[in-house]
């Protein structure tokens, strides 16, 4: 029966390069996972997402359980078939989004009962139900069900929440069972408290997972505090398993996280920004609605090989954004996802060549030049 594995192929300082093997394909790490919240990466055909270099997508348990429903997706052949994506899919546990989006939440030892933010219908999520939903969806990488307090929170609240998440992690492991070809990741919590992060890591290692996420960051603490935590948190997790930083981030967050030993990340930023006229380039962020682009015949990034940069000027991208045309979000999302994947590929090469520090210095130097030369 097909199995999964993780192999580290190069290291440079704390940065790691590797490959996760699943029956649905290989995931080159460090990996960036585009977010397909509602069984679509908004504005992108699945083959276009693959063309940007993405090996794996993320799906959201909370959104999919409410609409169209996990049982319905299962009856229709699972999430891969439903959304026409044949590569690996990671699903989150629903824990984070139920706490941030659902209405009338009631948190108990057993789980969370809540009302849908879409139609007010009643639902519940527990470690057991989250494992069941992720199995119905057919997820390749399943996340343990956890609870994550927004920061800042006081130490007692963070400790209580972390210990509840560790009890839920054990129940998730038990409910997941033995599923060859699928991976289950545990999630480290503990906020910005180093000793609580250590306690959480020990609890997770005692349970045993196929991979480990650093959870509870990118929730409003700021980059400096996040990097401060990443200076120690990943090293508390097993060396020989993938490490996933959830919900990160901007390009400079991603480079800083990889430098600190993170292997996988996801974020809505490249796709969400694309729909609001924001582009991310080697030379920094570009707001395409700005009037300075209206007569500019040059592409977003002269070195970029994406369809938006090969075929269209800043003037055109500015025009279609201002005119509210659908192609605006499509092109900017394509460019952003392409840029993110190029960034990951560049870091993987740099790690293999033992020149990550030089890569990082160049990354920051190019951004400091500003997004384009004067016409
Ligand atoms: Zn481009």
């Amino acid at each position: 029966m097909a199995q999964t594995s993780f192999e580290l192929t190069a290291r440079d300082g704390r940065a790691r390069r590797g490959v996760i093997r699943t029956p649905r394909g290989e995931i080159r790490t460090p990996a960036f996972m585009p977010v397909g919240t509602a069984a679509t990466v908004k504005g992108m055909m699945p083959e276009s997402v693959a063309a940007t270099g993405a090996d794996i997508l993320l799906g959201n348990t909370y959104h999919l359980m409410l609409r169209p429903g996990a049982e319905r997706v299962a009856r229709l052949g699972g999430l891969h078939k439903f959304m026409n994506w044949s590569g690996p899919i990671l699903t989150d546990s629903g824990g984070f989004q139920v706490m941030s989006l659902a209405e009338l939440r009631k948190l108990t030892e057993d789980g969370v009962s809540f009302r849908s933010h879409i139609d007010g219908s009643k639902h519940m999520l527990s470690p057991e139900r989250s494992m069941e939903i992720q199995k119905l969806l057919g997820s390749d990488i399943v996340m343990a069900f956890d609870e994550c307090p927004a920061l800042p929170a006081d130490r007692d609240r963070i400790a209580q929440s972390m210990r509840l998440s560790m009890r839920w992690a054990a129940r998730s492991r038990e409910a997941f069972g033995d599923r060859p070809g699928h991976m289950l990741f545990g999630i480290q919590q503990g906020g910005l408290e180093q000793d609580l992060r250590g306690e959480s890591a020990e609890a997770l290692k005692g349970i045993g997972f196929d991979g480990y996420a650093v959870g509870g960051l990118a929730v409003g603490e700021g980059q400096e505090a996040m990097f401060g935590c990443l200076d120690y948190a990943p090293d508390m997790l097993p060396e020989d398993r993938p490490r996933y930083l959830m919900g990160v981030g901007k390009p400079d967050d991603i480079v800083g996280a990889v430098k600190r030993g993170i292997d996988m990340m996801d974020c809505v930023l490249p796709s969400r920004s694309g729909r609001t006229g924001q582009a991310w380039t080697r030379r920094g962020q570009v707001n395409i609605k700005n009037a300075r682009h209206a007569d500019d015949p040059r592409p977003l990034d002269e070195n970029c090989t994406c369809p938006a940069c090969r075929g269209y000027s800043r003037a055109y991208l500015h025009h279609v954004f201002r005119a509210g045309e659908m192609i605006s979000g499509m092109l900017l999302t394509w460019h952003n996802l392409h840029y993110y994947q190029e960034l990951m590929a560049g870091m993987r090469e740099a790690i293999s060549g033992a020149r990550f520090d030089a890569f990082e210095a160049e990354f920051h130097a190019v951004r400091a030049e500003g997004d384009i030369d004067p016409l």
Side-chain angles (χ1 to χ4, degrees):
M1 194 170 298
Q3 296 289 338
T4 60
S5 66
F6 176 58
E7 182 189 354
L8 281 172
T9 56
R11 283 163 207 269
D12 184 10
R14 293 174 64 206
R16 299 138 53 99
R17 180 176 182 173
V19 56
I20 300 169
R21 296 193 177 87
T22 80
R24 289 192 181 269
E26 294 190 346
I27 304 155
R28 297 163 289 176
T29 66
F32 179 78
M33 302 184 280
V35 177
T37 298
T40 169
V41 177
K42 295 186 200 308
M44 296 284 287
M45 299 300 286
E47 53 270 35
S48 308
V49 179
T52 66
D55 294 332
I56 176 170
L57 297 186
L58 181 142
N60 289 118
T61 285
Y62 173 80
H63 289 278
L64 294 169
M65 72 182 280
L66 297 181
R67 184 172 61 191
E71 279 76 7
R72 175 173 286 144
V73 172
R75 285 195 301 275
L76 292 165
L79 186 57
H80 297 82
K81 180 167 192 286
F82 187 56
M83 69 182 290
N84 192 27
W85 170 264
S86 61
I89 295 175
L90 179 149
T91 45
D92 65 6
S93 71
F96 179 78
Q97 290 187 319
V98 74
M99 297 313 287
S100 55
L101 294 175
E103 291 161 6
L104 295 170
R105 298 181 299 271
K106 186 162 179 284
L107 176 71
T108 66
E109 182 68 29
D110 191 45
V112 187
S113 57
F114 61 96
R115 285 187 184 272
S116 162
H117 73 285
I118 300 167
D119 61 7
S121 56
K122 272 180 149 173
H123 300 267
M124 79 89 61
L125 267 175
S126 63
E128 293 76 19
R129 178 60 180 152
S130 177
M131 295 305 105
E132 182 181 28
I133 291 171
Q134 294 182 75
K135 186 176 182 178
L136 286 164
L137 295 173
S139 170
D140 303 281
I141 302 181
V142 170
M143 299 304 296
F145 187 64
D146 70 338
E147 203 243 336
C148 166
L151 296 181
D154 67 55
R155 185 183 155 84
D156 283 353
R157 165 85 180 91
I158 289 169
Q160 276 177 20
S161 166
M162 180 273 285
R163 288 173 191 139
L164 174 64
S165 288
M166 297 306 101
R167 295 192 295 277
W168 285 359
R171 283 168 54 190
S172 294
R173 173 82 264 179
E174 175 74 22
F176 180 83
D178 183 23
R179 297 180 61 206
H182 301 265
M183 303 172 95
L184 177 64
F185 282 22
I187 306 174
Q188 181 198 43
Q189 292 289 352
L192 303 175
E193 311 282 337
Q194 187 164 355
D195 61 326
L196 297 181
R197 286 273 168 193
E199 181 184 327
S200 178
E202 290 309 308
L204 294 174
K205 285 189 273 186
I207 299 164
F209 289 93
D210 303 304
Y212 295 82
V214 179
L217 293 178
V219 290
E221 75 281 7
Q223 189 189 69
E224 193 183 344
M226 180 175 81
F227 284 172
C229 184
L230 292 178
D231 282 339
Y232 56 79
D235 292 340
M236 294 169 164
L237 301 169
E239 180 77 17
D240 61 350
R241 294 284 187 272
R243 301 162 173 173
Y244 164 29
L245 179 61
M246 307 176 77
V248 171
K250 293 181 179 161
D252 53 331
D253 296 329
I254 287 177
V255 172
V258 169
K259 180 190 175 79
R260 291 167 174 82
I262 293 296
D263 305 306
M264 306 165 71
M265 278 152 288
D266 76 282
C267 192
V268 295
L269 196 64
S271 41
R272 181 175 291 166
S273 303
R275 300 194 301 281
T276 58
Q278 304 292 319
W280 298 89
T281 76
R282 289 176 310 116
R283 296 180 61 171
Q285 200 174 352
V286 179
N287 182 350
I288 204 65
K289 55 194 153 187
N290 194 309
R292 72 187 165 98
H293 306 299
D295 291 298
D296 197 326
R298 297 171 296 177
L300 270 176
D301 181 338
E302 277 160 336
N303 287 1
C304 180
T305 58
C306 87
C309 292
R310 279 203 320 265
Y312 304 91
S313 63
R314 287 182 174 222
Y316 180 78
L317 296 171
H318 171 81
H319 158 68
V320 288
F321 180 82
R322 296 283 281 249
E325 292 292 342
M326 284 167 60
I327 197 172
S328 169
M330 294 162 64
L331 288 173
L332 290 184
T333 298
W334 198 323
H335 166 82
N336 286 342
L337 290 175
H338 181 97
Y339 167 65
Y340 267 63
Q341 295 299 341
E342 290 273 297
L343 180 63
M344 305 316 292
M347 286 192 287
R348 290 193 295 265
E349 287 299 310
I351 294 166
S352 288
R355 50 181 176 77
F356 191 85
D357 286 347
F359 178 92
E360 185 191 24
E362 168 84 6
F363 168 82
H364 289 293
V366 170
R367 286 160 68 87
E369 291 171 3
D371 76 273
I372 199 162
D373 299 321
L375 262 178

